[in-house]
Amino acid sequence: MPCSPMRLRLLVVPLIVDLLLLVGVSRAEADAAAADGARSPLKNRSASVWSTSPSTHLPWGAPGKVPLLTPDGWQDRRTGESRPTLYLLVGGDGNYKAWTEDYDSRIQGLPQLRDVLVVMPEMPLFGFCTDWFNGGRGGPPAVESFHLKEVRPLLEAHYGAGTRRAAAGESQGGFGALSCSARHPAFFRAAASYSGFVHPLRHRFPP
């Protein structure tokens, strides 16, 4: 069951701080960022990456969209410089604008994220962050491969994404954050699920 916008906002801030502590941002740094954010307005921090991939199974062969919420100083980063990275996964419709528009999470204004690269990749409708079995045939949609084997190396090579990673998501994205972390135990330092659809066999859709 998806969170209401108000409940989601109440959940996001403390969990974001806890995730940052686990990926290596100290509480002093997070608190300092929050205090600084109260004094200084945040700049426009949005950027987007489009990736054409056979893994996504998006309609009409459209490229997968990967919005980024960039940290302070990101445009002036030095070669090889990286930041802690939060992979923030969306709910069932896979809308890449969900975290910045639909959920009213106000994530762009969270000062605790001033030193974090936030990655919000698109997914196919109910893609569930997995590589589908497809009756043993495999093939698209291969959402996990898109996220971890295509988007992640691209961002780490060219967009300043670091290896201090955390994952979080809402509804199907919450399932994806937990399931990907379980399948790749050394990949993410922390994971969080907001109203995650974590046991699909126990929560069946009506016929």
Side-chain angles (χ1 to χ4, degrees):
M1 173 98 39
C3 294
S4 68
M6 179 61 71
R7 182 165 179 256
L8 191 60
R9 283 200 297 273
L10 293 173
L11 288 170
V12 163
V13 174
L15 280 174
I16 288 292
V17 172
D18 288 342
L19 287 171
L20 296 183
L21 296 176
L22 289 168
V23 299
V25 177
S26 71
R27 182 169 292 278
E29 289 174 312
D31 290 344
D36 187 47
R39 295 193 301 269
S40 305
L42 294 174
K43 299 177 183 178
N44 184 350
R45 299 168 52 202
S46 298
S48 293
V49 176
W50 287 28
S51 174
T52 301
S53 166
S55 300
T56 57
H57 201 55
L58 292 169
W60 310 293
K65 302 172 187 67
V66 186
L68 307 177
L69 189 63
T70 60
D72 284 356
W74 178 79
Q75 291 184 332
D76 301 319
R77 65 191 182 281
R78 299 182 301 274
T79 301
E81 181 181 358
S82 64
R83 301 292 181 89
T85 303
L86 172 62
Y87 291 84
L88 198 52
L89 307 178
V90 298
D93 65 359
N95 179 14
Y96 65 99
K97 296 180 180 179
W99 279 103
T100 54
E101 297 182 11
D102 293 355
Y103 296 162
D104 193 25
S105 65
R106 303 179 189 175
I107 192 171
Q108 301 96 318
L110 289 180
Q112 292 88 350
L113 293 176
R114 293 189 74 141
D115 196 42
V116 175
L117 179 66
V118 183
V119 181
M120 298 165 282
E122 183 177 25
M123 280 191 282
L125 179 68
F126 295 114
F128 269 91
C129 307
T130 59
D131 290 357
W132 284 34
F133 184 63
N134 287 327
R137 300 184 307 275
V143 184
E144 181 178 300
S145 289
F146 176 63
H147 288 171
L148 302 188
K149 297 179 181 179
E150 298 176 20
V151 170
R152 189 268 309 169
L154 177 67
L155 297 181
E156 291 181 1
H158 301 291
Y159 292 88
T163 57
R164 291 183 292 168
R165 310 180 193 97
E170 188 264 345
S171 192
Q172 77 155 352
F175 168 84
L178 298 183
S179 62
C180 284
S181 297
R183 287 192 294 272
H184 306 276
F187 198 84
F188 297 105
R189 296 193 183 191
S193 173
Y194 310 104
S195 286
F197 194 70
V198 297
H199 200 326
L201 295 180
R202 291 194 61 183
H203 304 283
R204 295 181 181 275
F205 292 107

PDB file of all heavy atoms in Angstrom, residues 85-108:
ATOM      1  N   THR A  85      26.167   7.690  -2.705  1.00  0.00           N
ATOM      2  CA  THR A  85      25.094   7.625  -3.692  1.00  0.00           C
ATOM      3  C   THR A  85      23.895   6.879  -3.122  1.00  0.00           C
ATOM      4  O   THR A  85      24.034   5.780  -2.584  1.00  0.00           O
ATOM      5  CB  THR A  85      25.593   6.924  -4.969  1.00  0.00           C
ATOM      6  OG1 THR A  85      26.745   7.624  -5.466  1.00  0.00           O
ATOM      7  CG2 THR A  85      24.522   6.920  -6.038  1.00  0.00           C
ATOM      8  N   LEU A  86      22.741   7.498  -3.259  1.00  0.00           N
ATOM      9  CA  LEU A  86      21.479   6.906  -2.818  1.00  0.00           C
ATOM     10  C   LEU A  86      20.654   6.554  -4.048  1.00  0.00           C
ATOM     11  O   LEU A  86      20.298   7.434  -4.847  1.00  0.00           O
ATOM     12  CB  LEU A  86      20.705   7.896  -1.941  1.00  0.00           C
ATOM     13  CG  LEU A  86      19.277   7.503  -1.553  1.00  0.00           C
ATOM     14  CD1 LEU A  86      19.251   6.227  -0.723  1.00  0.00           C
ATOM     15  CD2 LEU A  86      18.589   8.655  -0.809  1.00  0.00           C
ATOM     16  N   TYR A  87      20.368   5.268  -4.217  1.00  0.00           N
ATOM     17  CA  TYR A  87      19.481   4.803  -5.285  1.00  0.00           C
ATOM     18  C   TYR A  87      18.061   4.795  -4.723  1.00  0.00           C
ATOM     19  O   TYR A  87      17.748   3.997  -3.836  1.00  0.00           O
ATOM     20  CB  TYR A  87      19.913   3.430  -5.775  1.00  0.00           C
ATOM     21  CG  TYR A  87      21.226   3.474  -6.520  1.00  0.00           C
ATOM     22  CD1 TYR A  87      22.437   3.445  -5.843  1.00  0.00           C
ATOM     23  CD2 TYR A  87      21.253   3.581  -7.914  1.00  0.00           C
ATOM     24  CE1 TYR A  87      23.651   3.519  -6.526  1.00  0.00           C
ATOM     25  CE2 TYR A  87      22.461   3.643  -8.600  1.00  0.00           C
ATOM     26  CZ  TYR A  87      23.652   3.612  -7.897  1.00  0.00           C
ATOM     27  OH  TYR A  87      24.859   3.686  -8.567  1.00  0.00           O
ATOM     28  N   LEU A  88      17.233   5.700  -5.233  1.00  0.00           N
ATOM     29  CA  LEU A  88      15.894   5.900  -4.693  1.00  0.00           C
ATOM     30  C   LEU A  88      14.892   5.393  -5.728  1.00  0.00           C
ATOM     31  O   LEU A  88      14.719   5.981  -6.800  1.00  0.00           O
ATOM     32  CB  LEU A  88      15.689   7.389  -4.401  1.00  0.00           C
ATOM     33  CG  LEU A  88      14.570   7.800  -3.459  1.00  0.00           C
ATOM     34  CD1 LEU A  88      14.635   7.040  -2.131  1.00  0.00           C
ATOM     35  CD2 LEU A  88      14.625   9.300  -3.211  1.00  0.00           C
ATOM     36  N   LEU A  89      14.233   4.277  -5.410  1.00  0.00           N
ATOM     37  CA  LEU A  89      13.440   3.534  -6.386  1.00  0.00           C
ATOM     38  C   LEU A  89      11.954   3.880  -6.265  1.00  0.00           C
ATOM     39  O   LEU A  89      11.453   4.113  -5.157  1.00  0.00           O
ATOM     40  CB  LEU A  89      13.652   2.035  -6.193  1.00  0.00           C
ATOM     41  CG  LEU A  89      15.124   1.594  -6.202  1.00  0.00           C
ATOM     42  CD1 LEU A  89      15.238   0.104  -5.946  1.00  0.00           C
ATOM     43  CD2 LEU A  89      15.812   1.978  -7.508  1.00  0.00           C
ATOM     44  N   VAL A  90      11.279   3.868  -7.400  1.00  0.00           N
ATOM     45  CA  VAL A  90       9.897   4.353  -7.452  1.00  0.00           C
ATOM     46  C   VAL A  90       8.898   3.211  -7.278  1.00  0.00           C
ATOM     47  O   VAL A  90       9.256   2.042  -7.274  1.00  0.00           O
ATOM     48  CB  VAL A  90       9.631   5.076  -8.788  1.00  0.00           C
ATOM     49  CG1 VAL A  90      10.528   6.280  -8.916  1.00  0.00           C
ATOM     50  CG2 VAL A  90       9.821   4.140  -9.973  1.00  0.00           C
ATOM     51  N   GLY A  91       7.616   3.588  -7.168  1.00  0.00           N
ATOM     52  CA  GLY A  91       6.549   2.622  -6.979  1.00  0.00           C
ATOM     53  C   GLY A  91       6.112   1.965  -8.278  1.00  0.00           C
ATOM     54  O   GLY A  91       6.805   2.011  -9.307  1.00  0.00           O
ATOM     55  N   GLY A  92       4.918   1.377  -8.248  1.00  0.00           N
ATOM     56  CA  GLY A  92       4.490   0.454  -9.291  1.00  0.00           C
ATOM     57  C   GLY A  92       4.435   0.995 -10.698  1.00  0.00           C
ATOM     58  O   GLY A  92       4.666   0.257 -11.653  1.00  0.00           O
ATOM     59  N   ASP A  93       4.127   2.291 -10.863  1.00  0.00           N
ATOM     60  CA  ASP A  93       4.002   2.782 -12.234  1.00  0.00           C
ATOM     61  C   ASP A  93       5.344   3.078 -12.872  1.00  0.00           C
ATOM     62  O   ASP A  93       5.428   3.333 -14.073  1.00  0.00           O
ATOM     63  CB  ASP A  93       3.089   4.008 -12.296  1.00  0.00           C
ATOM     64  CG  ASP A  93       3.653   5.209 -11.553  1.00  0.00           C
ATOM     65  OD1 ASP A  93       4.747   5.102 -10.964  1.00  0.00           O
ATOM     66  OD2 ASP A  93       2.986   6.264 -11.565  1.00  0.00           O
ATOM     67  N   GLY A  94       6.437   3.036 -12.088  1.00  0.00           N
ATOM     68  CA  GLY A  94       7.771   3.214 -12.641  1.00  0.00           C
ATOM     69  C   GLY A  94       8.102   4.626 -13.070  1.00  0.00           C
ATOM     70  O   GLY A  94       9.120   4.850 -13.728  1.00  0.00           O
ATOM     71  N   ASN A  95       7.270   5.602 -12.705  1.00  0.00           N
ATOM     72  CA  ASN A  95       7.446   6.976 -13.169  1.00  0.00           C
ATOM     73  C   ASN A  95       8.726   7.594 -12.625  1.00  0.00           C
ATOM     74  O   ASN A  95       8.898   7.720 -11.406  1.00  0.00           O
ATOM     75  CB  ASN A  95       6.232   7.809 -12.744  1.00  0.00           C
ATOM     76  CG  ASN A  95       6.336   9.261 -13.175  1.00  0.00           C
ATOM     77  OD1 ASN A  95       7.172   9.630 -14.000  1.00  0.00           O
ATOM     78  ND2 ASN A  95       5.479  10.088 -12.607  1.00  0.00           N
ATOM     79  N   TYR A  96       9.594   8.023 -13.502  1.00  0.00           N
ATOM     80  CA  TYR A  96      10.882   8.571 -13.069  1.00  0.00           C
ATOM     81  C   TYR A  96      10.744   9.928 -12.372  1.00  0.00           C
ATOM     82  O   TYR A  96      11.697  10.395 -11.733  1.00  0.00           O
ATOM     83  CB  TYR A  96      11.836   8.689 -14.266  1.00  0.00           C
ATOM     84  CG  TYR A  96      11.409   9.678 -15.322  1.00  0.00           C
ATOM     85  CD1 TYR A  96      11.952  10.956 -15.371  1.00  0.00           C
ATOM     86  CD2 TYR A  96      10.461   9.340 -16.283  1.00  0.00           C
ATOM     87  CE1 TYR A  96      11.565  11.870 -16.336  1.00  0.00           C
ATOM     88  CE2 TYR A  96      10.076  10.237 -17.248  1.00  0.00           C
ATOM     89  CZ  TYR A  96      10.627  11.499 -17.280  1.00  0.00           C
ATOM     90  OH  TYR A  96      10.231  12.394 -18.238  1.00  0.00           O
ATOM     91  N   LYS A  97       9.580  10.568 -12.466  1.00  0.00           N
ATOM     92  CA  LYS A  97       9.371  11.852 -11.795  1.00  0.00           C
ATOM     93  C   LYS A  97       8.720  11.690 -10.420  1.00  0.00           C
ATOM     94  O   LYS A  97       8.443  12.686  -9.753  1.00  0.00           O
ATOM     95  CB  LYS A  97       8.483  12.754 -12.651  1.00  0.00           C
ATOM     96  CG  LYS A  97       9.091  13.154 -13.989  1.00  0.00           C
ATOM     97  CD  LYS A  97       8.126  14.051 -14.756  1.00  0.00           C
ATOM     98  CE  LYS A  97       8.703  14.477 -16.088  1.00  0.00           C
ATOM     99  NZ  LYS A  97       7.746  15.335 -16.850  1.00  0.00           N
ATOM    100  N   ALA A  98       8.472  10.447 -10.007  1.00  0.00           N
ATOM    101  CA  ALA A  98       7.648  10.229  -8.819  1.00  0.00           C
ATOM    102  C   ALA A  98       8.219  10.894  -7.576  1.00  0.00           C
ATOM    103  O   ALA A  98       7.501  11.570  -6.838  1.00  0.00           O
ATOM    104  CB  ALA A  98       7.459   8.738  -8.590  1.00  0.00           C
ATOM    105  N   TRP A  99       9.507  10.709  -7.297  1.00  0.00           N
ATOM    106  CA  TRP A  99      10.076  11.227  -6.061  1.00  0.00           C
ATOM    107  C   TRP A  99      10.162  12.749  -6.051  1.00  0.00           C
ATOM    108  O   TRP A  99      10.136  13.360  -4.975  1.00  0.00           O
ATOM    109  CB  TRP A  99      11.450  10.627  -5.808  1.00  0.00           C
ATOM    110  CG  TRP A  99      11.385   9.271  -5.217  1.00  0.00           C
ATOM    111  CD1 TRP A  99      11.584   8.074  -5.850  1.00  0.00           C
ATOM    112  CD2 TRP A  99      11.079   8.935  -3.862  1.00  0.00           C
ATOM    113  NE1 TRP A  99      11.414   7.032  -4.977  1.00  0.00           N
ATOM    114  CE2 TRP A  99      11.114   7.526  -3.755  1.00  0.00           C
ATOM    115  CE3 TRP A  99      10.780   9.697  -2.729  1.00  0.00           C
ATOM    116  CZ2 TRP A  99      10.861   6.862  -2.551  1.00  0.00           C
ATOM    117  CZ3 TRP A  99      10.527   9.043  -1.537  1.00  0.00           C
ATOM    118  CH2 TRP A  99      10.572   7.644  -1.455  1.00  0.00           C
ATOM    119  N   THR A 100      10.248  13.373  -7.200  1.00  0.00           N
ATOM    120  CA  THR A 100      10.375  14.827  -7.230  1.00  0.00           C
ATOM    121  C   THR A 100       9.051  15.539  -7.481  1.00  0.00           C
ATOM    122  O   THR A 100       8.947  16.736  -7.212  1.00  0.00           O
ATOM    123  CB  THR A 100      11.380  15.253  -8.320  1.00  0.00           C
ATOM    124  OG1 THR A 100      10.992  14.688  -9.578  1.00  0.00           O
ATOM    125  CG2 THR A 100      12.779  14.772  -7.966  1.00  0.00           C
ATOM    126  N   GLU A 101       8.038  14.811  -7.976  1.00  0.00           N
ATOM    127  CA  GLU A 101       6.767  15.467  -8.290  1.00  0.00           C
ATOM    128  C   GLU A 101       5.565  14.770  -7.657  1.00  0.00           C
ATOM    129  O   GLU A 101       4.801  15.371  -6.915  1.00  0.00           O
ATOM    130  CB  GLU A 101       6.576  15.552  -9.813  1.00  0.00           C
ATOM    131  CG  GLU A 101       7.632  16.412 -10.500  1.00  0.00           C
ATOM    132  CD  GLU A 101       7.401  16.536 -11.993  1.00  0.00           C
ATOM    133  OE1 GLU A 101       6.316  16.134 -12.468  1.00  0.00           O
ATOM    134  OE2 GLU A 101       8.313  17.027 -12.689  1.00  0.00           O
ATOM    135  N   ASP A 102       5.382  13.481  -7.924  1.00  0.00           N
ATOM    136  CA  ASP A 102       4.149  12.808  -7.521  1.00  0.00           C
ATOM    137  C   ASP A 102       4.010  12.632  -6.012  1.00  0.00           C
ATOM    138  O   ASP A 102       2.918  12.769  -5.466  1.00  0.00           O
ATOM    139  CB  ASP A 102       4.054  11.430  -8.180  1.00  0.00           C
ATOM    140  CG  ASP A 102       3.879  11.515  -9.681  1.00  0.00           C
ATOM    141  OD1 ASP A 102       3.737  12.642 -10.193  1.00  0.00           O
ATOM    142  OD2 ASP A 102       3.898  10.468 -10.341  1.00  0.00           O
ATOM    143  N   TYR A 103       5.089  12.289  -5.324  1.00  0.00           N
ATOM    144  CA  TYR A 103       4.992  11.932  -3.915  1.00  0.00           C
ATOM    145  C   TYR A 103       4.956  13.140  -2.980  1.00  0.00           C
ATOM    146  O   TYR A 103       4.715  12.992  -1.797  1.00  0.00           O
ATOM    147  CB  TYR A 103       6.184  11.061  -3.495  1.00  0.00           C
ATOM    148  CG  TYR A 103       6.260   9.714  -4.176  1.00  0.00           C
ATOM    149  CD1 TYR A 103       7.451   9.001  -4.186  1.00  0.00           C
ATOM    150  CD2 TYR A 103       5.156   9.148  -4.803  1.00  0.00           C
ATOM    151  CE1 TYR A 103       7.539   7.760  -4.808  1.00  0.00           C
ATOM    152  CE2 TYR A 103       5.237   7.920  -5.430  1.00  0.00           C
ATOM    153  CZ  TYR A 103       6.437   7.231  -5.432  1.00  0.00           C
ATOM    154  OH  TYR A 103       6.537   6.016  -6.040  1.00  0.00           O
ATOM    155  N   ASP A 104       5.239  14.328  -3.500  1.00  0.00           N
ATOM    156  CA  ASP A 104       5.318  15.510  -2.652  1.00  0.00           C
ATOM    157  C   ASP A 104       6.293  15.277  -1.492  1.00  0.00           C
ATOM    158  O   ASP A 104       6.060  15.681  -0.362  1.00  0.00           O
ATOM    159  CB  ASP A 104       3.929  15.886  -2.114  1.00  0.00           C
ATOM    160  CG  ASP A 104       3.904  17.275  -1.496  1.00  0.00           C
ATOM    161  OD1 ASP A 104       4.750  18.108  -1.868  1.00  0.00           O
ATOM    162  OD2 ASP A 104       3.049  17.525  -0.616  1.00  0.00           O
ATOM    163  N   SER A 105       7.388  14.591  -1.779  1.00  0.00           N
ATOM    164  CA  SER A 105       8.368  14.276  -0.732  1.00  0.00           C
ATOM    165  C   SER A 105       9.264  15.459  -0.400  1.00  0.00           C
ATOM    166  O   SER A 105       9.928  15.457   0.637  1.00  0.00           O
ATOM    167  CB  SER A 105       9.255  13.111  -1.192  1.00  0.00           C
ATOM    168  OG  SER A 105      10.032  13.495  -2.320  1.00  0.00           O
ATOM    169  N   ARG A 106       9.307  16.453  -1.290  1.00  0.00           N
ATOM    170  CA  ARG A 106      10.155  17.639  -1.108  1.00  0.00           C
ATOM    171  C   ARG A 106      11.614  17.258  -0.934  1.00  0.00           C
ATOM    172  O   ARG A 106      12.372  17.905  -0.214  1.00  0.00           O
ATOM    173  CB  ARG A 106       9.660  18.475   0.068  1.00  0.00           C
ATOM    174  CG  ARG A 106       8.208  18.895  -0.080  1.00  0.00           C
ATOM    175  CD  ARG A 106       7.693  19.692   1.090  1.00  0.00           C
ATOM    176  NE  ARG A 106       6.255  19.869   0.985  1.00  0.00           N
ATOM    177  CZ  ARG A 106       5.509  20.463   1.930  1.00  0.00           C
ATOM    178  NH1 ARG A 106       6.076  20.935   3.019  1.00  0.00           N
ATOM    179  NH2 ARG A 106       4.206  20.572   1.762  1.00  0.00           N
ATOM    180  N   ILE A 107      11.989  16.193  -1.623  1.00  0.00           N
ATOM    181  CA  ILE A 107      13.339  15.677  -1.453  1.00  0.00           C
ATOM    182  C   ILE A 107      14.392  16.664  -1.936  1.00  0.00           C
ATOM    183  O   ILE A 107      15.512  16.696  -1.415  1.00  0.00           O
ATOM    184  CB  ILE A 107      13.470  14.317  -2.171  1.00  0.00           C
ATOM    185  CG1 ILE A 107      14.766  13.630  -1.764  1.00  0.00           C
ATOM    186  CG2 ILE A 107      13.396  14.462  -3.692  1.00  0.00           C
ATOM    187  CD1 ILE A 107      14.859  12.221  -2.262  1.00  0.00           C
ATOM    188  N   GLN A 108      14.022  17.514  -2.907  1.00  0.00           N
ATOM    189  CA  GLN A 108      14.993  18.486  -3.410  1.00  0.00           C
ATOM    190  C   GLN A 108      15.449  19.454  -2.331  1.00  0.00           C
ATOM    191  O   GLN A 108      16.530  20.021  -2.419  1.00  0.00           O
ATOM    192  CB  GLN A 108      14.401  19.286  -4.580  1.00  0.00           C
ATOM    193  CG  GLN A 108      13.959  18.448  -5.765  1.00  0.00           C
ATOM    194  CD  GLN A 108      12.483  18.138  -5.733  1.00  0.00           C
ATOM    195  OE1 GLN A 108      11.938  17.826  -4.672  1.00  0.00           O
ATOM    196  NE2 GLN A 108      11.827  18.223  -6.884  1.00  0.00           N
TER     197      GLN A 108
END
